[in-house]
Amino acid sequence: MSLVTHDKETGRAASGLGLALVSASSFGLSGPLGRGLMDAGWTSAAAVAVRVLLAALVLLPVAVVRLRGRTHLLRRNAPLVAGYGLVAVAACQLSFFNAVARMEVGVALLVEYTAPIAVVGWLWLRHGRRPGRLTVLGAAFGVVGLLLVLDLLSGAEVDVVGVLWALGAMVGAAVYFVLSGRQDDALPGSALAAGGLLLGGLVLVAAGLVGLVPFEATTAPVRFAGVTGDGVTVAWWLPVLGLGVVTAALGYVTGIAATRRLGSRLASFVALTEVLMSLVFAWVLLGEAVRPGQLAGGALTLLGVVVVRLGEPRT
């Protein structure tokens, strides 16, 4: 019996890691696709709003099927869905793009991706899950790896207000991992994602309508430079479709499923690979070359994930 249980736990962990990598890859594609839209005349808020609303439309039918006969789960978890949509989706996205508007993208991304450290601290303070030495060592590897991947060692100008916005994005990302790992009431992950994305998207549209953020879209063709620099031009709806279906619908639902298999702490560290994936997609679509130091940082980040996995409790 113990062997069967061990095999089930091993299989669950393996599938969780696979789903987490799919989620990280999906999210990593959002930056290059969004950059293409913004170069074509879209504002960041408009691109994000379309992304999450389209993802919500994709996931709603799945959520309805999964909730058939169990709609009471949605009502009982209304605060969870609201927190997910308002903080983990809307506030996180708005904070990050406001940070990018005032500071370099690499710096803002590094601040946001200190979220795993915040998750470890939250689980320690709230639930008494004190991190072991391997977890702390893995966290250190992850942070140093991100420094190399983002190439920040050459120096970067920092705006205080921008840092505050980036810290807001970090809080939103940490909330995403903590809420995604909750499964007390067995609310299907597709229902949590669909409800949160729909609410978050509507909040972003409302923020644009009242003038809180610039909100503008265009149907102009979108051009991607590509690896060779020759470039390719596509219709505007192709990157929009990619943002909604791949980088949001697929990214969020696989991320929730992965977090429920791995736990908030480990899933948040595996998600650090999103930075490496984003660099790869930026090279393929935008022609932004990856330097040797960044590759070394990516390897160090992955090593940090492995060390954190080794430091996770067997239970």
Side-chain angles (χ1 to χ4, degrees):
M1 181 65 69
S2 61
L3 289 177
V4 174
T5 302
H6 180 268
D7 290 340
K8 288 182 178 179
E9 291 179 350
T10 302
R12 185 176 176 83
S15 64
L17 286 172
L19 288 168
L21 290 174
V22 170
S23 179
S25 300
S26 301
F27 284 137
L29 181 60
S30 63
L33 290 181
R35 173 67 178 274
L37 284 175
M38 287 185 282
D39 287 344
W42 288 61
T43 60
S44 58
V48 172
V50 170
R51 175 193 178 202
V52 297
L53 287 175
L54 181 57
L57 292 177
V58 171
L59 293 177
L60 275 177
V62 180
V64 169
V65 172
R66 293 294 305 276
L67 283 173
R68 184 174 299 172
R70 299 187 298 166
T71 54
H72 65 282
L73 291 177
L74 189 59
R75 293 191 300 270
R76 190 164 61 191
N77 287 276
L80 172 62
V81 175
Y84 191 87
L86 295 176
V87 181
V89 176
C92 182
Q93 296 279 350
L94 277 177
S95 296
F96 177 71
F97 281 102
N98 280 331
V100 169
R102 304 184 66 96
M103 59 195 299
E104 295 183 11
V105 175
V107 178
L109 193 60
L110 175 62
V111 174
E112 181 183 4
Y113 270 85
T114 56
I117 309 301
V119 171
V120 171
W122 167 257
L123 294 177
W124 184 5
L125 296 175
R126 181 67 176 83
H127 301 286
R129 293 173 57 180
R130 182 174 182 176
R133 293 181 179 178
L134 285 178
T135 299
V136 175
L137 180 62
F141 283 161
V143 170
V144 174
L146 283 176
L147 284 170
L148 294 174
V149 167
L150 299 172
D151 199 25
L152 296 180
L153 298 181
S154 58
E157 295 182 1
V158 178
D159 183 281
V160 176
V161 177
V163 171
L164 292 177
W165 278 116
L167 288 173
M170 180 272 289
V171 173
V175 170
Y176 161 77
F177 289 113
V178 173
L179 294 185
S180 295
R182 288 189 55 180
Q183 46 187 327
D184 300 337
D185 295 322
L187 179 68
S190 57
L192 175 59
L197 288 167
L198 180 60
L199 178 61
L202 293 176
V203 168
L204 287 171
V205 172
L209 291 177
V210 300
L212 183 62
V213 293
F215 202 90
E216 185 177 346
T218 176
T219 57
V222 178
R223 185 181 185 277
F224 295 99
V227 177
T228 61
D230 295 334
V232 58
T233 301
V234 299
W236 64 272
W237 57 267
L238 281 175
V240 167
L241 192 64
L243 278 175
V245 176
V246 179
T247 75
L250 179 63
Y252 275 103
V253 77
T254 53
I256 292 173
T259 304
R260 290 182 173 182
R261 285 168 170 79
L262 301 176
S264 299
R265 184 164 60 188
L266 177 58
S268 66
F269 277 94
V270 178
L272 293 174
T273 57
E274 177 188 336
V275 180
L276 181 60
M277 299 300 183
S278 182
L279 288 173
V280 172
F281 287 127
W283 173 64
V284 173
L285 294 178
L286 305 176
E288 297 180 356
V290 180
R291 290 173 287 279
Q294 292 177 308
L295 292 177
L300 191 59
T301 299
L302 294 176
L303 176 61
V305 172
V306 173
V307 173
V308 169
R309 174 56 184 152
L310 295 175
E312 283 289 283
R314 291 299 178 184
T315 56

